[in-house]
Amino acid sequence: MCERVSAPGGGTTGPTASLSAPGLPPQEEDEDGGVFLDLSELPVEESERRPTCSRCCRPEKVCLCPFLPVNPLEVSTCLYIVQHPAEESRVLRTVPLLAACLPKGKCNVLVGRRFSEERFPELAAVCRDKHTLILYPGSDAENLEELDMDFTTTPHNVIIIDGTWSQAKDMFLRNALFRFPKQVQLNSAPSSQYVIRTQPTNMCLSTLECAAVTLSIMERNQAIQEVLLRPLRALCSFQLQHGAQVHHSKEHLLKNGLYDKPMPKNKRKIKRMQKLITNQNI
C-alpha cells in the first residue's frame, strides 16, 4: 500500500523527508516519490485464544467437567460419529461432551462428507460388520426398541451422522457404505432438551441425545441416559443465563403461527412445510 505523508503547509514530503514513527521499520519510497511502508515488517499482534479444557473442549471459564461422570461410563457398544465438516466450527457442539463421558475408543469421530472404502478402510470394515447398526430414520428403518436382539452378549457398533438434518440426509444418501449396516431409528425418544438450537420437528434430537437413548437401550441401563444428558442440560442452562433464547422447533412455530421467516417459494420446500404442520413423516 502506498501512503503519502502530508508535510506542514499542505505539501508532500520529498525524498529526504522520509518519516517513521518510533519503533517502526524505516519507510521506503515508491516510484512516484511517495513513501512506501513495508507492512510485512510491521509487528503483528497475535490474538490470544481462550484456554480450553482438554476434557470437555470448552473454554476453561465455562468448563463443564463438573457435570461429567468422574470416570468414563463402562459400555460395550462402540459409537462411530460421522461428522459433517461444518460441525467442527460450531461453538455449541454436543459430540465433545459425548466423547468426554465414554472410554477412549468407544466414541470415534470421523469428519467428512464422502466416506469411500479407500479413504476410510476402518469405517468400511465397521459398515460391513454384521454387528453394526446405523441410526437414521426412514421407511426402511426398524425401531431399535423393538429389535429382538440381546446387545449385551455381543458388542455392537452404532454409526450416527452428526450435522444438520439436511446435511445428514445428504451424507446418508450419498455414501454407499451406509447401505450395509442395519438401519434403525428411535421410536420412543423424549422431546429434545437441546433448546438452544432450532430443530425441524419436536421429535428431533441432538447427536448426544441420540447416543444417550441408543446406549441406554442397547446396554439395558437407563441410568446411562441421565448421565449423558447432565452436561447438555448444564450447557443449555449456562447459555440461557447469558442471553441465549429458547429455540422452539420449526414444527412448533408453524403450528402456532409463530414462524416469522418468509415462506419458501420452492414447491418441494412448501410440501415439506405442510408435512411439518400436519405431523406427517418427513
Coordinates of all heavy atoms in Angstrom, one line a residue, residues 136-230:
Y136 N -30.6 -43.9 11.6 CA -31.1 -42.9 10.7 C -32.6 -43.2 10.4 O -32.9 -44.3 10.0 CB -30.3 -42.9 9.4 CG -30.7 -41.7 8.5 CD1 -30.2 -40.4 8.7 CD2 -31.7 -41.9 7.4 CE1 -30.6 -39.4 7.9 CE2 -32.1 -40.8 6.6 CZ -31.5 -39.6 6.8 OH -31.9 -38.5 6.1
P137 N -33.5 -42.3 10.6 CA -34.9 -42.6 10.5 C -35.3 -42.7 9.0 O -34.7 -42.2 8.1 CB -35.6 -41.4 11.1 CG -34.6 -40.3 11.0 CD -33.3 -40.9 11.1
G138 N -36.4 -43.5 8.8 CA -36.9 -43.6 7.4 C -37.8 -44.8 7.3 O -38.0 -45.6 8.3
S139 N -38.4 -45.0 6.2 CA -39.3 -46.1 5.9 C -38.7 -47.5 6.0 O -39.3 -48.5 6.3 CB -40.0 -45.9 4.6 OG -39.1 -45.9 3.5
D140 N -37.4 -47.5 5.7 CA -36.6 -48.8 5.8 C -36.0 -49.1 7.2 O -35.4 -50.1 7.4 CB -35.5 -48.8 4.8 CG -36.1 -48.7 3.3 OD1 -37.2 -49.2 3.1 OD2 -35.4 -48.2 2.5
A141 N -36.2 -48.2 8.1 CA -35.6 -48.3 9.4 C -36.5 -49.1 10.4 O -37.7 -49.0 10.3 CB -35.3 -47.0 10.0
E142 N -35.8 -50.0 11.2 CA -36.6 -50.7 12.2 C -36.4 -49.9 13.5 O -35.4 -49.3 13.8 CB -36.0 -52.1 12.3 CG -36.2 -53.0 11.1 CD -35.6 -54.4 11.3 OE1 -36.0 -55.0 12.3 OE2 -34.8 -54.8 10.5
N143 N -37.4 -50.0 14.4 CA -37.4 -49.4 15.7 C -36.4 -50.1 16.6 O -36.5 -51.3 16.8 CB -38.7 -49.4 16.3 CG -39.7 -48.5 15.6 OD1 -39.4 -47.5 14.9 ND2 -41.0 -48.9 15.7
L144 N -35.4 -49.4 17.1 CA -34.4 -50.0 17.9 C -35.0 -50.7 19.1 O -34.5 -51.8 19.5 CB -33.3 -49.0 18.3 CG -32.2 -49.4 19.2 CD1 -31.3 -50.5 18.4 CD2 -31.3 -48.3 19.6
E145 N -36.0 -50.1 19.7 CA -36.6 -50.6 20.9 C -37.3 -52.0 20.7 O -37.4 -52.7 21.6 CB -37.6 -49.6 21.5 CG -37.1 -48.2 21.8 CD -37.2 -47.3 20.6 OE1 -37.1 -47.8 19.4 OE2 -37.2 -46.1 20.8
E146 N -37.6 -52.3 19.4 CA -38.4 -53.5 19.1 C -37.6 -54.6 18.6 O -38.1 -55.7 18.3 CB -39.5 -53.1 18.2 CG -40.5 -52.1 18.7 CD -41.5 -51.6 17.7 OE1 -41.5 -52.1 16.6 OE2 -42.3 -50.7 18.0
L147 N -36.3 -54.4 18.4 CA -35.4 -55.4 17.8 C -35.3 -56.6 18.8 O -35.0 -56.4 20.0 CB -34.0 -54.9 17.5 CG -33.9 -53.9 16.3 CD1 -32.5 -53.5 16.1 CD2 -34.5 -54.6 15.0
D148 N -35.5 -57.8 18.3 CA -35.3 -59.0 19.2 C -33.9 -59.4 19.2 O -33.5 -60.4 18.7 CB -36.2 -60.1 18.6 CG -36.2 -61.3 19.6 OD1 -35.9 -61.1 20.7 OD2 -36.6 -62.4 19.1
M149 N -33.0 -58.6 19.9 CA -31.6 -58.9 19.9 C -31.1 -58.5 21.3 O -31.6 -57.6 22.0 CB -30.9 -58.0 18.9 CG -31.3 -58.2 17.5 SD -30.5 -57.0 16.3 CE -28.8 -57.5 16.4
D150 N -30.2 -59.3 21.8 CA -29.5 -59.1 23.1 C -28.2 -58.4 22.8 O -27.2 -59.1 22.5 CB -29.4 -60.4 23.9 CG -28.9 -60.1 25.3 OD1 -28.6 -58.9 25.6 OD2 -28.7 -61.0 26.1
F151 N -28.1 -57.1 22.9 CA -26.8 -56.4 22.6 C -25.8 -56.6 23.6 O -24.6 -56.3 23.4 CB -27.1 -54.9 22.4 CG -28.1 -54.7 21.2 CD1 -29.4 -54.2 21.5 CD2 -27.7 -54.8 19.9 CE1 -30.3 -54.0 20.5 CE2 -28.6 -54.6 18.9 CZ -29.9 -54.1 19.2
T152 N -26.2 -57.1 24.8 CA -25.2 -57.2 25.9 C -24.3 -58.5 25.7 O -23.2 -58.6 26.3 CB -25.9 -57.3 27.2 OG1 -26.8 -58.4 27.3 CG2 -26.7 -56.0 27.5
T153 N -24.8 -59.5 24.9 CA -24.0 -60.7 24.8 C -22.9 -60.5 23.7 O -21.8 -61.1 23.9 CB -24.9 -61.9 24.3 OG1 -25.6 -61.5 23.1 CG2 -25.9 -62.2 25.4
T154 N -23.1 -59.7 22.7 CA -22.1 -59.5 21.7 C -22.0 -58.0 21.4 O -23.0 -57.3 21.2 CB -22.5 -60.1 20.3 OG1 -22.8 -61.5 20.5 CG2 -21.4 -60.0 19.3
P155 N -20.8 -57.4 21.6 CA -20.6 -56.0 21.4 C -21.0 -55.5 20.0 O -20.7 -56.2 19.0 CB -19.1 -55.8 21.6 CG -18.7 -56.9 22.5 CD -19.5 -58.1 22.0
H156 N -21.7 -54.4 19.9 CA -22.2 -53.9 18.6 C -21.6 -52.5 18.4 O -21.1 -51.9 19.3 CB -23.7 -53.8 18.6 CG -24.4 -55.1 18.3 ND1 -24.3 -56.2 19.1 CD2 -25.1 -55.5 17.2 CE1 -25.0 -57.2 18.5 NE2 -25.5 -56.8 17.4
N157 N -21.6 -52.1 17.1 CA -21.2 -50.8 16.7 C -22.5 -50.0 16.2 O -23.4 -50.6 15.7 CB -20.2 -50.8 15.5 CG -19.1 -51.8 15.8 OD1 -18.3 -51.6 16.7 ND2 -18.8 -52.7 14.9
V158 N -22.5 -48.7 16.5 CA -23.6 -47.9 16.0 C -23.0 -46.6 15.3 O -22.1 -46.0 15.9 CB -24.5 -47.4 17.2 CG1 -25.6 -46.5 16.6 CG2 -25.1 -48.6 17.9
I159 N -23.4 -46.4 14.1 CA -23.0 -45.2 13.3 C -24.1 -44.2 13.4 O -25.3 -44.4 13.2 CB -22.8 -45.6 11.8 CG1 -21.7 -46.6 11.7 CG2 -22.5 -44.4 11.0 CD1 -21.5 -47.2 10.3
I160 N -23.6 -43.0 13.8 CA -24.5 -41.8 14.0 C -24.0 -40.7 13.1 O -22.8 -40.3 13.2 CB -24.7 -41.4 15.5 CG1 -25.1 -42.5 16.3 CG2 -25.6 -40.2 15.6 CD1 -25.2 -42.2 17.8
I161 N -24.9 -40.1 12.3 CA -24.5 -38.9 11.5 C -24.7 -37.6 12.2 O -25.7 -37.4 12.8 CB -25.3 -38.9 10.2 CG1 -25.2 -40.3 9.4 CG2 -24.8 -37.8 9.3 CD1 -26.0 -40.4 8.2
D162 N -23.6 -36.8 12.3 CA -23.6 -35.6 13.0 C -23.6 -34.4 12.1 O -22.6 -34.2 11.4 CB -22.4 -35.5 14.0 CG -22.4 -34.2 14.8 OD1 -23.5 -33.8 15.3 OD2 -21.3 -33.6 15.0
G163 N -24.7 -33.6 12.1 CA -24.9 -32.5 11.2 C -26.3 -32.0 11.2 O -27.1 -32.5 12.0
T164 N -26.6 -30.9 10.5 CA -28.0 -30.5 10.4 C -28.8 -31.6 9.7 O -28.2 -32.5 9.1 CB -28.1 -29.2 9.6 OG1 -27.7 -29.5 8.2 CG2 -27.3 -28.1 10.2
W165 N -30.1 -31.5 9.7 CA -30.9 -32.6 9.1 C -30.7 -32.7 7.6 O -30.6 -33.8 7.0 CB -32.3 -32.4 9.5 CG -32.6 -33.0 10.9 CD1 -32.6 -32.3 12.0 CD2 -32.8 -34.3 11.2 NE1 -32.8 -33.1 13.1 CE2 -32.9 -34.4 12.6 CE3 -32.9 -35.5 10.5 CZ2 -33.2 -35.6 13.3 CZ3 -33.1 -36.7 11.2 CH2 -33.2 -36.7 12.6
S166 N -30.5 -31.6 7.0 CA -30.3 -31.6 5.5 C -28.9 -32.2 5.2 O -28.7 -32.9 4.2 CB -30.4 -30.2 4.9 OG -29.5 -29.3 5.5
Q167 N -27.9 -31.8 6.0 CA -26.6 -32.4 5.9 C -26.6 -33.9 6.1 O -25.9 -34.6 5.4 CB -25.6 -31.7 6.8 CG -25.3 -30.2 6.5 CD -24.6 -29.5 7.6 OE1 -24.4 -30.0 8.7 NE2 -24.1 -28.3 7.3
A168 N -27.3 -34.3 7.2 CA -27.3 -35.7 7.5 C -28.0 -36.5 6.4 O -27.5 -37.6 6.0 CB -28.0 -35.9 8.8
K169 N -29.0 -36.0 5.8 CA -29.7 -36.6 4.7 C -28.8 -36.8 3.5 O -28.8 -37.9 2.9 CB -31.0 -35.9 4.4 CG -31.8 -36.5 3.2 CD -33.1 -35.7 2.9 CE -33.9 -36.3 1.8 NZ -35.1 -35.5 1.5
D170 N -28.1 -35.7 3.2 CA -27.2 -35.8 2.0 C -26.1 -36.8 2.3 O -25.8 -37.6 1.3 CB -26.6 -34.4 1.8 CG -25.6 -34.4 0.7 OD1 -26.1 -34.4 -0.5 OD2 -24.4 -34.3 0.9
M171 N -25.6 -36.9 3.5 CA -24.5 -37.8 3.8 C -25.0 -39.2 3.7 O -24.3 -40.1 3.2 CB -23.9 -37.5 5.1 CG -23.1 -36.2 5.1 SD -22.7 -35.6 6.8 CE -21.5 -36.9 7.3
F172 N -26.2 -39.5 4.2 CA -26.7 -40.8 4.3 C -27.0 -41.3 2.8 O -26.7 -42.5 2.5 CB -28.0 -40.8 5.1 CG -28.7 -42.2 5.1 CD1 -28.2 -43.2 6.0 CD2 -29.8 -42.5 4.4 CE1 -28.8 -44.4 6.0 CE2 -30.4 -43.7 4.4 CZ -29.9 -44.7 5.2
L173 N -27.6 -40.5 2.0 CA -27.9 -40.9 0.7 C -26.7 -41.1 -0.3 O -26.8 -41.9 -1.2 CB -28.9 -39.9 0.1 CG -30.3 -39.8 0.8 CD1 -31.2 -38.8 0.1 CD2 -31.0 -41.2 0.7
R174 N -25.7 -40.3 -0.1 CA -24.6 -40.2 -1.0 C -23.4 -41.2 -0.6 O -22.4 -41.2 -1.3 CB -24.1 -38.8 -1.1 CG -25.0 -37.9 -1.9 CD -24.5 -36.5 -2.0 NE -25.4 -35.6 -2.7 CZ -25.5 -35.4 -4.0 NH1 -24.6 -36.0 -4.8 NH2 -26.3 -34.6 -4.5
N175 N -23.5 -41.9 0.5 CA -22.4 -42.8 0.9 C -22.9 -44.2 0.8 O -23.7 -44.7 1.6 CB -22.0 -42.4 2.3 CG -21.1 -41.2 2.3 OD1 -20.0 -41.2 2.0 ND2 -21.7 -40.1 2.8
A176 N -22.4 -44.9 -0.2 CA -22.8 -46.3 -0.4 C -22.5 -47.2 0.8 O -23.2 -48.2 1.0 CB -22.1 -46.9 -1.7
L177 N -21.4 -46.9 1.6 CA -21.1 -47.7 2.7 C -22.2 -47.8 3.7 O -22.3 -48.8 4.5 CB -19.8 -47.1 3.4 CG -18.5 -47.4 2.7 CD1 -17.4 -46.7 3.5 CD2 -18.2 -48.9 2.6
F178 N -23.0 -46.7 3.8 CA -24.1 -46.7 4.8 C -25.3 -47.6 4.4 O -26.3 -47.7 5.2 CB -24.6 -45.2 5.0 CG -23.5 -44.3 5.5 CD1 -23.6 -43.0 5.4 CD2 -22.3 -44.9 6.1 CE1 -22.6 -42.1 5.9 CE2 -21.3 -44.0 6.6 CZ -21.5 -42.7 6.5
R179 N -25.2 -48.2 3.3 CA -26.3 -49.2 2.9 C -26.1 -50.6 3.5 O -27.0 -51.4 3.6 CB -26.3 -49.4 1.4 CG -26.5 -48.2 0.5 CD -27.9 -47.6 0.5 NE -28.2 -46.8 1.7 CZ -27.7 -45.5 1.7 NH1 -27.0 -45.0 0.8 NH2 -27.9 -44.8 2.8
F180 N -24.8 -50.8 4.0 CA -24.5 -52.2 4.5 C -25.1 -52.4 5.9 O -25.6 -53.5 6.2 CB -23.0 -52.4 4.5 CG -22.4 -52.5 3.2 CD1 -21.7 -51.5 2.6 CD2 -22.6 -53.7 2.4 CE1 -21.1 -51.6 1.3 CE2 -22.0 -53.8 1.1 CZ -21.3 -52.7 0.6
P181 N -25.0 -51.5 6.9 CA -25.5 -51.8 8.2 C -27.0 -51.8 8.3 O -27.7 -51.3 7.4 CB -24.9 -50.7 9.1 CG -23.9 -50.0 8.3 CD -24.3 -50.2 6.9
K182 N -27.5 -52.5 9.3 CA -29.0 -52.5 9.5 C -29.4 -51.1 9.9 O -28.8 -50.5 10.8 CB -29.4 -53.5 10.6 CG -30.8 -53.5 11.0 CD -31.1 -54.3 12.2 CE -31.0 -55.8 11.9 NZ -32.1 -56.3 11.0
Q183 N -30.4 -50.5 9.3 CA -30.9 -49.2 9.6 C -31.9 -49.2 10.7 O -32.9 -50.0 10.6 CB -31.5 -48.5 8.3 CG -31.9 -47.1 8.5 CD -32.5 -46.5 7.2 OE1 -32.4 -47.1 6.2 NE2 -33.2 -45.4 7.4
V184 N -31.7 -48.4 11.7 CA -32.6 -48.4 12.9 C -33.0 -46.9 13.2 O -32.3 -46.0 12.8 CB -32.0 -49.0 14.1 CG1 -31.7 -50.5 13.9 CG2 -30.7 -48.3 14.6
Q185 N -34.0 -46.8 13.9 CA -34.5 -45.4 14.4 C -35.0 -45.6 15.8 O -35.3 -46.7 16.3 CB -35.6 -44.9 13.5 CG -36.8 -45.8 13.4 CD -37.8 -45.3 12.4 OE1 -37.6 -44.4 11.6 NE2 -39.0 -45.9 12.3
L186 N -35.2 -44.4 16.5 CA -35.7 -44.4 17.8 C -37.2 -44.0 17.8 O -37.6 -43.0 17.1 CB -34.9 -43.3 18.6 CG -33.4 -43.5 18.8 CD1 -32.8 -42.4 19.5 CD2 -33.1 -44.8 19.5
N187 N -38.0 -44.8 18.4 CA -39.4 -44.7 18.3 C -40.0 -44.0 19.6 O -41.1 -43.5 19.6 CB -40.1 -46.0 18.1 CG -41.6 -45.9 17.8 OD1 -42.0 -45.0 17.1 ND2 -42.4 -46.8 18.5
S188 N -39.3 -44.1 20.7 CA -39.8 -43.7 22.0 C -38.9 -42.6 22.6 O -38.9 -42.5 23.9 CB -40.0 -44.9 22.9 OG -38.8 -45.5 23.1
A189 N -38.2 -41.8 21.8 CA -37.3 -40.8 22.4 C -38.1 -39.7 23.0 O -39.1 -39.3 22.4 CB -36.4 -40.4 21.3
P190 N -37.6 -39.1 24.0 CA -38.3 -37.9 24.6 C -38.0 -36.7 23.8 O -37.2 -36.7 22.9 CB -37.6 -37.8 26.0 CG -36.2 -38.4 25.8 CD -36.4 -39.5 24.8
S191 N -38.7 -35.6 24.1 CA -38.5 -34.3 23.4 C -37.1 -33.8 23.7 O -36.5 -34.1 24.8 CB -39.5 -33.3 23.9 OG -40.8 -33.7 23.5
S192 N -36.5 -33.1 22.8 CA -35.1 -32.7 22.9 C -35.0 -31.7 24.0 O -35.8 -30.8 24.2 CB -34.7 -32.1 21.6 OG -33.4 -31.5 21.7
Q193 N -33.9 -31.8 24.8 CA -33.6 -30.8 25.8 C -32.5 -29.8 25.3 O -32.1 -28.9 26.0 CB -33.1 -31.5 27.0 CG -34.1 -32.5 27.7 CD -33.6 -33.1 28.9 OE1 -33.0 -32.5 29.8 NE2 -33.9 -34.4 29.1
Y194 N -32.1 -30.0 24.0 CA -31.1 -29.1 23.4 C -31.9 -27.9 22.9 O -32.0 -27.7 21.7 CB -30.4 -29.8 22.3 CG -29.2 -29.2 21.7 CD1 -28.4 -28.4 22.5 CD2 -28.8 -29.4 20.4 CE1 -27.2 -27.8 22.0 CE2 -27.7 -28.8 19.9 CZ -26.9 -28.0 20.7 OH -25.8 -27.4 20.2
V195 N -32.3 -27.0 23.8 CA -33.3 -25.9 23.5 C -32.6 -24.7 23.0 O -33.3 -23.7 22.7 CB -34.1 -25.6 24.7 CG1 -35.0 -26.7 25.1 CG2 -33.2 -25.1 25.9
I196 N -31.3 -24.7 22.8 CA -30.6 -23.5 22.3 C -30.2 -23.6 20.8 O -29.5 -22.8 20.3 CB -29.3 -23.2 23.1 CG1 -28.4 -24.5 23.1 CG2 -29.6 -22.8 24.5 CD1 -27.1 -24.3 23.8
R197 N -30.8 -24.6 20.2 CA -30.6 -24.8 18.7 C -32.0 -25.3 18.1 O -32.6 -26.2 18.7 CB -29.5 -25.8 18.5 CG -29.1 -25.9 17.0 CD -27.8 -26.7 16.8 NE -27.5 -26.9 15.5 CZ -26.4 -27.6 15.1 NH1 -25.6 -28.1 16.0 NH2 -26.2 -27.8 13.8
T198 N -32.3 -24.7 17.0 CA -33.6 -25.0 16.4 C -33.6 -26.4 15.7 O -32.7 -26.7 15.0 CB -34.0 -23.9 15.3 OG1 -34.0 -22.6 16.0 CG2 -35.4 -24.2 14.8
Q199 N -34.6 -27.2 16.0 CA -34.8 -28.5 15.3 C -36.0 -28.4 14.3 O -36.9 -27.6 14.5 CB -35.0 -29.5 16.4 CG -34.0 -29.6 17.5 CD -32.7 -30.2 17.0 OE1 -32.5 -30.5 15.9 NE2 -31.8 -30.5 18.0
P200 N -36.0 -29.3 13.3 CA -37.1 -29.2 12.4 C -38.4 -29.6 13.0 O -39.5 -29.0 12.8 CB -36.7 -30.3 11.3 CG -35.2 -30.4 11.4 CD -34.9 -30.2 12.9
T201 N -38.4 -30.7 13.8 CA -39.7 -31.2 14.5 C -39.5 -31.4 16.0 O -38.3 -31.3 16.5 CB -40.1 -32.5 13.9 OG1 -39.3 -33.6 14.4 CG2 -40.1 -32.5 12.4
N202 N -40.6 -31.6 16.7 CA -40.5 -31.8 18.1 C -39.8 -33.1 18.5 O -39.3 -33.3 19.6 CB -41.9 -31.8 18.7 CG -42.6 -30.4 18.6 OD1 -41.9 -29.4 18.5 ND2 -43.9 -30.4 18.4
M203 N -39.7 -34.0 17.5 CA -39.1 -35.3 17.8 C -37.6 -35.4 17.5 O -37.0 -36.4 17.8 CB -39.9 -36.4 17.0 CG -41.3 -36.5 17.4 SD -41.6 -36.9 19.2 CE -40.8 -38.5 19.2
C204 N -37.1 -34.3 16.9 CA -35.7 -34.4 16.5 C -34.8 -34.2 17.8 O -35.1 -33.4 18.7 CB -35.4 -33.2 15.5 SG -36.1 -33.5 13.9
L205 N -33.7 -34.9 17.8 CA -32.7 -34.9 18.9 C -31.4 -34.5 18.5 O -31.0 -34.6 17.3 CB -32.7 -36.3 19.6 CG -34.0 -36.9 20.1 CD1 -33.7 -38.3 20.6 CD2 -34.6 -36.0 21.2
S206 N -30.6 -34.0 19.4 CA -29.2 -33.7 19.1 C -28.4 -35.0 19.0 O -28.9 -36.1 19.4 CB -28.6 -32.8 20.2 OG -28.5 -33.5 21.5
T207 N -27.2 -34.9 18.5 CA -26.4 -36.2 18.4 C -26.1 -36.8 19.8 O -26.2 -38.0 19.9 CB -25.0 -35.8 17.8 OG1 -25.3 -35.2 16.5 CG2 -24.2 -37.1 17.6
L208 N -25.8 -36.0 20.8 CA -25.6 -36.5 22.1 C -26.9 -37.2 22.7 O -26.8 -38.3 23.3 CB -25.2 -35.4 23.1 CG -24.8 -35.8 24.5 CD1 -23.7 -34.9 25.1 CD2 -26.1 -35.7 25.5
E209 N -28.0 -36.6 22.4 CA -29.3 -37.2 22.9 C -29.6 -38.5 22.2 O -30.0 -39.5 22.8 CB -30.4 -36.2 22.7 CG -30.4 -35.0 23.6 CD -31.4 -34.0 23.3 OE1 -31.4 -33.5 22.1 OE2 -32.2 -33.5 24.2
C210 N -29.3 -38.6 20.9 CA -29.5 -39.8 20.1 C -28.6 -40.9 20.7 O -29.1 -42.1 20.9 CB -29.1 -39.6 18.7 SG -30.3 -38.7 17.7
A211 N -27.4 -40.6 21.0 CA -26.4 -41.5 21.6 C -26.9 -42.0 22.9 O -26.8 -43.2 23.3 CB -25.0 -40.9 21.6
A212 N -27.4 -41.0 23.7 CA -27.8 -41.4 25.1 C -28.9 -42.4 25.1 O -28.9 -43.3 25.9 CB -28.2 -40.1 25.8
V213 N -29.9 -42.1 24.3 CA -31.1 -43.0 24.2 C -30.7 -44.4 23.6 O -31.0 -45.4 24.1 CB -32.2 -42.4 23.3 CG1 -33.4 -43.4 23.2 CG2 -32.7 -41.1 24.0
T214 N -29.9 -44.4 22.6 CA -29.4 -45.6 22.0 C -28.6 -46.5 22.9 O -28.8 -47.7 23.0 CB -28.5 -45.3 20.7 OG1 -29.3 -44.5 19.8 CG2 -28.0 -46.5 20.1
L215 N -27.7 -45.9 23.6 CA -26.8 -46.6 24.6 C -27.7 -47.2 25.7 O -27.4 -48.3 26.2 CB -25.7 -45.8 25.1 CG -24.6 -45.4 24.1 CD1 -23.6 -44.5 24.7 CD2 -23.9 -46.7 23.7
S216 N -28.6 -46.4 26.2 CA -29.5 -46.9 27.3 C -30.3 -48.1 26.9 O -30.5 -49.0 27.7 CB -30.4 -45.7 27.8 OG -31.3 -45.4 26.8
I217 N -30.7 -48.1 25.6 CA -31.4 -49.3 25.1 C -30.5 -50.5 24.9 O -30.8 -51.6 25.4 CB -32.1 -48.9 23.8 CG1 -33.2 -47.9 24.0 CG2 -32.8 -50.2 23.2 CD1 -33.8 -47.3 22.8
M218 N -29.4 -50.3 24.3 CA -28.5 -51.4 23.9 C -27.8 -51.9 25.1 O -27.5 -53.1 25.2 CB -27.5 -50.9 22.8 CG -28.2 -50.5 21.5 SD -27.1 -50.0 20.2 CE -26.3 -51.6 19.9
E219 N -27.5 -51.1 26.1 CA -26.8 -51.5 27.3 C -27.8 -52.0 28.4 O -27.3 -52.4 29.5 CB -25.9 -50.4 27.8 CG -24.8 -49.9 26.9 CD -23.7 -51.0 26.6 OE1 -23.3 -51.7 27.6 OE2 -23.2 -51.1 25.5
R220 N -29.0 -51.8 28.1 CA -30.1 -52.1 29.1 C -29.8 -51.4 30.5 O -29.9 -52.0 31.5 CB -30.2 -53.6 29.3 CG -30.7 -54.3 28.1 CD -30.9 -55.8 28.4 NE -31.5 -56.5 27.2 CZ -31.8 -57.8 27.1 NH1 -31.7 -58.5 28.2 NH2 -32.3 -58.3 26.1
N221 N -29.5 -50.1 30.4 CA -29.2 -49.3 31.6 C -29.7 -47.9 31.4 O -29.1 -47.1 30.7 CB -27.7 -49.3 31.8 CG -27.3 -48.6 33.1 OD1 -28.1 -48.0 33.7 ND2 -26.0 -48.7 33.4
Q222 N -30.9 -47.6 32.0 CA -31.5 -46.3 31.8 C -30.7 -45.2 32.4 O -30.8 -44.0 32.0 CB -32.9 -46.3 32.4 CG -33.8 -45.2 32.0 CD -34.1 -45.2 30.5 OE1 -34.1 -46.3 29.9 NE2 -34.4 -44.0 30.0
A223 N -29.8 -45.5 33.4 CA -29.0 -44.5 34.1 C -28.0 -43.9 33.1 O -27.6 -42.7 33.3 CB -28.3 -45.1 35.2
I224 N -27.6 -44.6 32.1 CA -26.7 -44.0 31.1 C -27.3 -42.7 30.5 O -26.6 -41.7 30.3 CB -26.4 -45.1 30.0 CG1 -25.5 -46.2 30.5 CG2 -25.7 -44.4 28.8 CD1 -25.3 -47.3 29.6
Q225 N -28.6 -42.8 30.1 CA -29.2 -41.6 29.5 C -29.1 -40.4 30.4 O -28.8 -39.3 30.0 CB -30.6 -41.9 29.2 CG -31.4 -40.9 28.4 CD -32.8 -41.3 28.0 OE1 -33.0 -42.5 27.7 NE2 -33.7 -40.3 27.9
E226 N -29.4 -40.6 31.7 CA -29.3 -39.5 32.7 C -27.9 -38.9 32.8 O -27.7 -37.7 32.8 CB -29.8 -39.9 34.0 CG -29.8 -38.9 35.1 CD -30.7 -37.7 34.7 OE1 -31.7 -37.8 34.0 OE2 -30.3 -36.5 35.1
V227 N -26.9 -39.8 32.8 CA -25.5 -39.3 33.0 C -25.1 -38.5 31.7 O -24.4 -37.5 31.9 CB -24.6 -40.5 33.2 CG1 -23.1 -40.1 33.1 CG2 -24.9 -41.2 34.5
L228 N -25.5 -38.9 30.6 CA -25.1 -38.3 29.3 C -25.8 -36.9 29.1 O -25.3 -36.0 28.5 CB -25.3 -39.2 28.1 CG -24.4 -40.4 28.0 CD1 -24.7 -41.2 26.8 CD2 -22.9 -40.0 27.9
L229 N -27.0 -36.9 29.6 CA -27.8 -35.6 29.4 C -27.5 -34.5 30.4 O -27.8 -33.4 30.2 CB -29.3 -35.9 29.5 CG -29.9 -36.8 28.4 CD1 -31.4 -37.0 28.6 CD2 -29.6 -36.2 27.0
R230 N -26.8 -34.9 31.5 CA -26.5 -33.9 32.5 C -25.6 -32.8 32.0 O -25.9 -31.6 32.2 CB -25.8 -34.6 33.7 CG -25.7 -33.7 34.9 CD -25.2 -34.5 36.1 NE -25.0 -33.7 37.3 CZ -23.9 -33.6 38.0 NH1 -22.9 -34.4 37.7 NH2 -23.8 -32.8 39.0

